[in-house]
Amino acid sequence: MRVLVSGGAGYIGSHTVLKLVEAGHDVVVVDDFANSKPTVMNRLEGLTGQHIPLHAIDLTDRDKTEHLFAEERFDAVIHFAGFKAVGESVAKPLEYYENNLDSTISLVRAMRWHGVGTLVFSSSATVYGDHAPVPYQEDYTPLEAASPYGRTKVMNEHILSDVARAGDGMRVGLLRYFNPVGAHPSGRIGEDPQGIPNNLMPFIAQVAVGRRDRLVVFGDDYPTADGTCERDYIHVDDLAAGHVAAVEKVATLEEPVRAWNLGTGEGTSVLQMLHAFEKAVGHELPHEIGPRRPGDLPAYWADPTRAHAELGWRAEKTIEDMCADTWRWQSENPQGYPDA
Ligand code: WQD
């Protein structure tokens, strides 16, 4: 298939580009580098040995998006592009709604106009809200989320589902990720957050490489085994493989829309993750216990049964793999990607 990957220079997008090429697909990337660096494209070309066409445009620009689809032919789209910081979305809700909804609408308009019927959307476990029973299952309703960022995921799911159900042949796969971590085993591509990391794994990695003094563990009085929150961490390489399986499946779906959880089905606590990372690095890492972070749920993980049954996919990498690969990436690229 010839697949357009929006946000293909981003963390999950770049790993998916690599897996698509390895699976024999033709890939075209669209990315405006709002939260990624052009160097990623060079690294991807080094890893694949192939030229990967790039369109450096903002998808909220409808004319440019239309022009892209007029110029190129695609069989499918995987849509990652979007703002993704939970805290920032609370401070800048309008920017989040505008960017994350406009880009989807613009993309889907162009797809329909040019007869591209297969779309895989980058969604999140955040759409299960605060009340879904654990493990999370795809049938759960109503979808809700606790932040503007999360609500853009819920809204995009509704927009895409409505368009697909309107019945002109569009097929949509919604991939609900749990907590993506890790990096490509080569150490050449990985997560490169701008500023202070919001998420656990990149924060620990930056402590390990000396960019941060210590990890603050957000609360140790939760009703879990060691008192710290539990999450379903999934290796980004497994996640990327899930996208390849999904895009191939969605092209042949009978129903217009289908959601799949991409997770391992297992919870890992903050302290377990910290200790696993210490093992990968070979020494202890400074940390202290701080207050709870508002909005955090004590524990949740995926029921990944449906993705296994329908996509033939399951997560294979362990917490040890996630830590070893993150550490390889971070220690070989202590400041992340270079600018040029
Ligand atoms: C994991 C655990 C923290 C940082 C977020 C989004 C979610 C999804 C994935 C995209 C929690 C603890 C963290 C730190 C800590 N994004 N922690 N100290 O919150 O599960 O999910 O990213 O869709 O929507 O909400 O991930 O990595 O921020 O936190 O103790 O410095 O680590 O409290 O228990 P989270 P996270």
Side-chain angles (χ1 to χ4, degrees):
M1 283 197 264
R2 187 165 167 81
V3 185
L4 177 68
V5 180
S6 86
Y11 172 44
I12 304 170
S14 58
H15 288 80
T16 301
V17 167
L18 197 53
K19 277 274 189 294
L20 285 165
V21 172
E22 284 169 3
H25 297 290
D26 279 338
V27 178
V28 176
V29 167
V30 56
D31 201 304
D32 68 353
F33 301 107
N35 192 27
S36 59
K37 301 241 180 88
T39 320
V40 178
M41 299 306 300
N42 305 335
R43 300 268 177 113
L44 285 173
E45 295 194 345
L47 287 166
T48 59
Q50 289 186 25
H51 171 65
I52 298 164
L54 163 75
H55 295 261
I57 63 163
D58 177 350
L59 288 173
T60 64
D61 185 325
R62 288 197 189 173
D63 291 340
K64 287 187 179 156
T65 305
E66 164 55 34
H67 188 70
L68 164 64
F69 278 76
E71 260 187 353
E72 300 244 24
R73 183 194 61 78
F74 305 115
D75 301 303
V77 176
I78 305 183
H79 180 32
F80 292 101
F83 295 161
K84 63 170 185 182
V86 175
E88 184 184 60
S89 79
V90 176
K92 300 180 177 174
L94 203 53
E95 282 86 340
Y96 270 67
Y97 288 119
E98 202 166 23
N99 185 69
N100 290 4
L101 301 183
D102 277 2
S103 55
T104 301
I105 292 168
S106 162
L107 195 58
V108 173
R109 280 176 73 106
M111 288 178 68
R112 290 181 73 222
W113 186 251
H114 293 276
V116 183
T118 302
L119 177 72
V120 169
F121 177 63
S122 171
S123 190
S124 165
T126 195
V127 302
Y128 292 111
D130 291 352
H131 306 291
V134 176
Y136 291 169
Q137 291 180 322
E138 292 89 345
D139 287 339
Y140 178 80
T141 55
L143 300 181
E144 55 178 9
S147 70
Y149 157 77
R151 281 188 280 275
T152 70
K153 291 293 181 196
V154 174
M155 289 175 191
N156 269 323
E157 283 208 8
H158 286 309
I159 291 169
L160 294 170
S161 303
D162 288 344
V163 172
R165 289 192 188 110
D168 48 8
M170 183 133 178
R171 295 285 177 271
V172 171
L174 306 169
L175 298 183
R176 297 178 181 155
Y177 317 150
F178 283 69
N179 286 57
V181 298
H184 190 260
S186 66
R188 296 295 289 161
I189 58 171
E191 187 171 13
D192 181 19
Q194 312 293 302
I196 301 169
N198 300 303
N199 299 112
L200 178 65
M201 194 68 150
F203 203 103
I204 296 178
Q206 290 194 8
V207 171
V209 84
R211 285 173 65 181
R212 313 270 157 213
D213 288 347
R214 68 181 71 82
L215 173 74
V216 179
V217 175
F218 298 146
D220 70 347
D221 57 351
Y222 285 96
T224 58
D226 66 19
T228 65
C229 294
E230 293 173 3
R231 294 288 180 273
D232 184 341
Y233 297 94
I234 173 168
H235 195 296
V236 66
D237 240 16
D238 280 335
L239 195 62
H243 288 73
V244 178
V247 78
E248 290 169 356
K249 176 75 182 184
V250 171
T252 64
L253 262 188
E254 282 185 18
E255 61 269 63
V257 53
R258 193 79 175 147
W260 292 285
N261 286 339
L262 296 184
T264 65
E266 278 169 39
T268 300
S269 77
V270 176
L271 286 177
Q272 284 173 327
M273 190 56 111
L274 174 67
H275 296 322
F277 207 94
E278 288 173 332
K279 263 198 179 160
V281 177
H283 56 81
E284 288 188 7
L285 297 171
H287 73 277
E288 65 184 40
I289 307 298
R292 290 182 177 197
R293 181 172 68 178
D296 275 341
L297 294 174
Y300 63 83
W301 50 88
D303 179 343
T305 313
R306 184 190 282 186
H308 186 231
E310 298 178 7
L311 304 179
W313 169 92
R314 72 154 53 115
E316 280 163 3
K317 302 210 175 190
T318 62
I319 293 287
E320 287 69 35
D321 297 328
M322 301 176 206
C323 292
D325 290 338
T326 301
W327 180 232
R328 187 176 305 105
W329 152 255
Q330 189 72 71
S331 53
E332 291 176 7
N333 304 269
Q335 303 297 325
Y337 292 108
D339 280 327

